[in-house]
Amino acid sequence: MASPRLCFGVARLCTSRLPDRAGLQREGSGTRALPRRARRGGQALDCAPEAAEIRRLHAASLRQSREKLYLFLSGWLGGPPLYVERFGHPMLRARHLPFPIGERERDQWMWCMRRALADTPMAEELRTFLDQRFAAIADHMRNQAPD
């Protein structure tokens, strides 16, 4: 039996905690571009030493993982709920439980997400908000004792 592979996606993010979702869409290129940038940001996962441990948890090709991240972020940021339409409720905590996620893995995932945030034009207030939400969720995904 093949070992499970981790989906490079974000954990359960509560849409009720987002500031004005319509405002996020009005923000313009930032919120519309972030899912695309995050999908492309997965390319850093392929070769960046900063993400080496989490890269080993993924399938040889990141195509499917990047696509799922794009679908999820699209809906979370107020666009069409593409992930839910295709796969149902994300249940990302449950989907990530088979994989060892400790502080290093959390930090490496955040490194990738922060690259995507930095590469996406948006208001600094929104960037800070998204970084805080991603950090809280990444920490929630940990299922290993602290290093």
Side-chain angles (χ1 to χ4, degrees), residues 29-99:
S29 63
T31 54
R32 287 193 299 270
L34 181 58
R36 291 188 305 273
R37 303 264 173 135
R39 180 169 50 182
R40 284 196 315 256
Q43 294 167 342
L45 188 59
D46 265 334
C47 60
E50 294 88 348
E53 278 102 359
I54 62 170
R55 177 60 183 103
R56 285 191 284 275
L57 295 175
H58 289 76
S61 169
L62 293 175
R63 186 185 58 77
Q64 184 178 17
S65 295
R66 286 191 292 243
E67 183 65 14
K68 285 183 177 181
L69 177 60
Y70 168 78
L71 296 172
F72 180 82
L73 287 177
S74 173
W76 185 65
L77 291 169
L82 302 174
Y83 185 94
V84 172
E85 290 171 358
R86 272 175 107 177
F87 302 105
H89 190 283
M91 302 184 310
L92 292 172
R93 171 111 171 116
R95 294 179 197 269
H96 288 76
L97 282 175
F99 308 98

Side-chain angles (χ1 to χ4, degrees), residues 11-19 21 72 76 129 133 137:
R12 190 182 93 237
L13 292 170
C14 179
T15 56
S16 65
R17 294 188 183 177
L18 281 173
R21 286 168 51 104
F72 180 82
W76 185 65
F129 172 81
R133 293 305 312 136
I137 297 306

